[in-house]
Structure formats: C-alpha cells, structure tokens
Amino acid sequence: MAQRRLRVGVLGGGSWGTTVAHVLAGRSPTTLWARDPEVVSEINERGMNSRYLAGLRLNRNLRATASMAEAVAEADVLIMGVPSQAMRETARNAARHVRAWVPVISLAKGFENGTGLRMTEVIGQELPGHPLGVLTGPNLAREIVDGLAAASVLAMEDAVIVEQLQRLFRSGMFRVYSNLDLVGSELGGALKNVFAIAAGMGDGLGAGINTRSALLTRSIAEMTRLGVALGGNPETFAGLAGLGDLITTCTSPQSRNRTVGFELGTGRKLEDIVKSMNQVAEGVKSCGPIYELAREHKIEVPIITEVYKVIHEGRSPRAAFRGLLRRGARSEAEPG
C-alpha cells in the first residue's frame, strides 16, 4: 500500500519561504501562508511571487493562503520562513492550530533581539514538545527556483526524524544533507550574515580581492571560535552550514547582507539602505545579540566587533577596516 504523502505548511511568503514551498510542492501537498493578500492571490492565480521572485514561475501545485489556520491545522510538517524578529509572534499564533508532535523546521538565520536566543530556541518556547530543526546552507533563492544545482543542510537532534525529512526536502537539483548538530548548523547560518556585511563594506570601499580573501579566511576562524564556544561542533563550520554559506553570502550580489555592507562602504546611511530594501538583512538585527554573546563568553571577535561599531555606534566602514588592519600580526592560530 502506498505511503501517504506528508502535508506541509510553510509560514512566510518572502523569497526563501516561497522557494522552499516551491521545492516541497513538487513532492508533497504544500500550503504557503503569507500576510499580504496580493502575494497570496498572485501565487494562486498566476503561479508567481513578483514581489520577491520577479519573473520566476513557481510549482503549479503550490497553494497560498492568508489564513494561518488553513496552512497549519492539517500540516504534518511545519516550516517557519519568517524573519527572526517575527519568529516568536508567528510561532505563538501557529501554536493555536498545530497538531501535537509535528516537526517544526526554521529557515531563519538570526538571533532574537533582547534574549539572544537562536530561532529554534524561540520556537521551542512557543511550541514545546515539537521536534525542531533548521534548513540552512549556501542557498540563493532565485537560483533554486530557476532550477540550478544547490546543496543544503537539514539539521535536527533526532536521527530518525531528520532521515525521514531529508527525503522530503531533497528534490531534483536541490541536494539536502543531514546533520545532527542543530546548534552549530543554526549558528553558522546566523553568524555568516555579520561577516557578509563586513565583506560588503570592503567591496564598497574598493578594498580588492586579496582583502576579501583574507577577510573570509579570518571570518571562518572567528565563526568557528565563537560557534564552538556556543555549543557547535567545529566540523560543522567547515561544511555547508558554515564555510559554504559564508562564501555565498559574502560574494554574491544577491546577498542582502553583503548589499547592506556594500552600500555602507559607498557612504550611504544605514537607515536609508534598510528603508530601500523590500526584504530583511538579518545581519543588521543579529549583530547586537551576537556581539553580546561573544562578550558574555569572553571570545575575541574583531570582525564582528567592527561591524557592531558601524551598525550601532556610527563608526565609518573605512575606520572599521583600518581598525582591523592595525591589529598586530600574530600566529594564524590566534584570534584576530
């Protein structure tokens, strides 16, 4: 007898939430919840989400709704694709409709302001008792919808559930690996956003390829140092959730966080940059909590510190790069 296909609810109609829903709709009945009725109508009537994925066609089986109950109540798997600062409210609202023991997977790459919590920690507080996971890696939404090859990581602490869900997410050119290091995988995705702002600032300043390469190399060392202190496995930061995501986010013009850094490097004001974007650059919001976590654990993070000063203290990107260059030379194994 054929096994019943899992029903999927995806919360969040931005570029990444829509992309994941598009991929899943090719394998399972998938309903996407979006706040904006215009986004919902366009997906259902035209098979497109022009606001976030202009010009790209979505899977014809994908259905959208503005009713959270409709997306959540019958879901066998719940995907949380909203920005980090909206995660708690969304999870709290979903709690009214979700069935017991349904796995919940986060797509957000950030920390909650005020608490410094990772997204699965936030979800766990609002949806206790549900198996939690994160889908992360070097994934540019437009390329995946366009059918280009990509790889991602599905991380959960339950080996049995992650193996079952890995099959659900894997589709065509979208290859999904599993990882039992939920903490490290989630940290890699969140930390790289701050380094992408730094890389963008360098590009905006015209710093050159040598500078970018040095920055990325020191960023992975800094990411690993802080990530391990926060409970991650060092091997995770050398994989797709760490190094892979870092390279993509720091080098692609499609990266929102790199774009913020680039515009800062050209002299634009942060508030003007953020206002001009129709999607969230998570590194701007997460920079503060990450900086505080590093201080709390007494981990030296010079790149994160300089980005924090630019975002929160008005330091100029040029002064930030000078600050990094003025640090004394030392062993490559040391911080800095």
Side-chain angles (χ1 to χ4, degrees):
M1 190 166 92
Q3 186 177 10
R4 181 179 68 85
R5 292 187 298 169
L6 295 176
R7 295 164 297 190
V8 182
V10 180
L11 304 185
S15 61
W16 189 221
T18 302
T19 296
V20 172
H22 159 81
V23 170
L24 292 172
R27 299 179 63 86
S28 294
T30 301
T31 303
L32 173 68
W33 171 80
R35 295 180 185 274
D36 192 332
E38 292 184 6
V39 170
V40 172
S41 295
E42 188 183 26
I43 291 173
N44 289 334
E45 295 170 10
R46 300 181 58 214
M48 300 179 71
N49 185 343
S50 298
R51 178 169 299 179
Y52 300 108
L53 296 166
L56 298 180
R57 290 285 177 182
L58 302 174
N59 190 294
R60 63 184 181 181
N61 295 322
L62 175 62
R63 304 306 301 165
T65 180
S67 166
M68 184 171 290
E70 184 178 347
V72 174
E74 298 299 321
D76 300 307
V77 181
L78 185 60
I79 314 296
M80 306 293 290
V82 298
S84 59
Q85 305 314 312
M87 186 64 76
R88 185 176 295 278
E89 178 188 3
T90 306
R92 185 174 295 164
N93 291 335
R96 305 169 187 169
H97 312 290
V98 68
R99 293 179 293 115
W101 303 109
V102 167
V104 182
I105 308 300
S106 170
L107 305 182
K109 299 177 178 180
F111 292 84
E112 185 178 48
N113 283 334
T115 66
L117 295 177
R118 293 178 284 106
M119 291 299 98
T120 56
E121 292 177 309
V122 172
I123 295 168
Q125 289 184 349
E126 301 297 332
L127 295 169
H130 290 264
L132 302 176
V134 60
L135 183 72
T136 186
N139 304 139
L140 297 172
R142 293 191 62 87
E143 291 189 2
I144 293 173
V145 176
D146 224 11
L148 300 179
S152 192
V153 173
L154 178 64
M156 301 184 76
E157 294 177 347
D158 189 308
V160 175
I161 297 178
V162 76
E163 182 180 349
Q164 294 298 317
L165 293 185
Q166 183 183 15
R167 300 171 189 168
L168 172 68
F169 281 94
R170 190 169 49 217
S171 176
M173 301 293 282
F174 187 54
R175 187 176 181 86
V176 177
Y177 294 83
S178 63
N179 194 325
L180 299 182
D181 180 17
L182 172 61
V183 174
S185 298
E186 196 166 19
L187 287 172
L191 294 174
K192 57 87 185 179
N193 287 327
V194 179
F195 299 123
I197 293 176
M201 289 193 300
D203 290 343
L205 289 166
I209 301 301
N210 288 337
T211 302
R212 182 201 288 171
S213 297
L215 180 67
L216 263 65
T217 304
R218 298 312 299 165
S219 291
I220 193 63
E222 194 166 306
M223 174 191 288
T224 303
R225 191 163 59 248
L226 179 56
V228 169
L230 296 175
N233 185 326
E235 293 181 359
T236 297
F237 303 105
L240 291 167
L243 178 60
D245 204 358
L246 179 74
I247 292 172
T248 298
T249 311
C250 288
T251 60
S252 172
Q254 296 181 46
S255 163
R256 297 190 292 273
N257 292 283
R258 178 194 172 274
T259 296
V260 168
F262 183 88
E263 296 296 332
L264 285 169
T266 64
R268 289 187 68 193
K269 299 294 185 184
L270 178 63
E271 61 183 56
D272 294 333
I273 300 168
V274 173
K275 284 180 182 178
S276 68
M277 302 176 72
N278 72 339
Q279 298 188 71
V280 175
E282 291 282 12
V284 175
K285 295 289 187 181
S286 296
C287 182
I290 292 171
Y291 175 73
E292 294 301 331
L293 284 169
R295 290 186 62 187
E296 178 185 337
H297 288 81
K298 297 181 172 56
I299 304 299
E300 192 172 358
V301 286
I303 300 172
I304 291 171
T305 298
E306 292 297 338
V307 174
Y308 173 85
K309 290 178 178 179
V310 171
I311 298 296
H312 293 280
E313 297 180 359
R315 187 174 177 85
S316 74
R318 191 170 298 278
F321 267 77
R322 285 175 180 166
L324 291 171
L325 293 172
R326 279 199 296 265
R327 294 179 61 83
R330 58 191 75 188
S331 166
E332 189 177 22
E334 294 181 89

